Amino acid sequence: MTQISLKEGFKLVFSAAFKHINGCQNCKDNLVTLLRTFSPTHFENGTWNTGGACGRTIPFRVDEISQQSSDMEIRTSQIEQLEEIKSDSLKKKKFAVLDVTRAMLMRPDGHPNSYWGNKWMKGFNDCTHWCLPGPIDAWSEFLMALLRQLR
């Protein structure tokens, strides 16, 4: 393949991974496979190496996030592959999704931006990783709720 879209690439990767897990003969019968969806970045006016920054100080409102963004496209691709394998799955194997993409799309204020203290990358902003404590602390709550559902 010489040309492949981002969505198609993710589809191929996740499809292969889920099929391998589903067909695993050496895995425990009660195996739970948990997919955490794509964690978005919030670069504005460029990317990490072209002057992009993420200086927002408050969360987005629901009407301010794009449901058509590449982040949502990747999330959709992940979930489509998970749903497909769930329908084909052997009864003993469980597949579940920890969907953080939508919630994290609303938190452009949770990145270190220029305050990340990386001495090797001075002059670059970090709008990919998350501050701690910060928005990703909610992931633990999401995970616990999901694990309770899977019992």
Side-chain angles (χ1 to χ4, degrees):
M1 293 184 176
T2 57
Q3 287 290 341
I4 187 167
S5 71
L6 188 62
K7 183 178 179 179
E8 192 63 27
F10 273 96
K11 179 180 176 182
L12 291 171
V13 167
F14 282 99
S15 175
F18 292 147
K19 284 178 183 174
H20 175 76
I21 293 166
N22 195 40
C24 179
Q25 299 297 321
N26 297 325
C27 297
K28 293 182 179 181
D29 286 341
N30 59 351
L31 177 71
V32 175
T33 301
L34 184 65
L35 165 71
R36 182 195 43 89
T37 59
F38 191 73
S39 176
T41 63
H42 289 97
F43 286 101
E44 294 181 14
N45 303 315
T47 59
W48 71 272
N49 61 346
T50 61
C54 48
R56 294 187 180 261
T57 57
I58 59 172
F60 282 141
R61 293 185 316 269
V62 172
D63 61 335
E64 292 180 298
I65 63 172
S66 171
Q67 298 295 323
Q68 308 308 316
S69 69
S70 60
D71 296 320
M72 286 301 287
E73 191 173 289
I74 294 168
R75 174 204 170 267
T76 300
S77 181
Q78 289 177 298
I79 291 178
E80 285 172 355
Q81 294 312 301
L82 185 82
E83 292 302 322
E84 187 175 308
I85 202 68
K86 279 172 72 172
S87 66
D88 295 341
S89 177
L90 304 170
K91 298 289 184 214
K92 294 178 181 176
K93 294 188 179 155
K94 293 181 183 178
F95 290 85
V97 64
L98 178 61
D99 190 356
V100 301
T101 306
R102 285 187 195 162
M104 294 299 104
L105 273 172
M106 297 179 71
R107 294 304 308 266
D109 59 317
H111 300 285
N113 198 23
S114 61
Y115 303 103
W116 62 318
N118 187 327
K119 63 183 178 184
W120 296 281
M121 299 290 288
K122 286 191 187 303
F124 295 98
N125 296 313
D126 185 355
C127 304
T128 302
H129 300 96
W130 298 93
C131 293
L132 289 173
I136 65 168
D137 291 326
W139 294 9
S140 298
E141 298 296 324
F142 298 161
L143 178 60
M144 287 306 298
L146 183 60
L147 292 175
R148 285 185 190 110
Q149 289 176 357
L150 292 173
R151 280 195 244 172

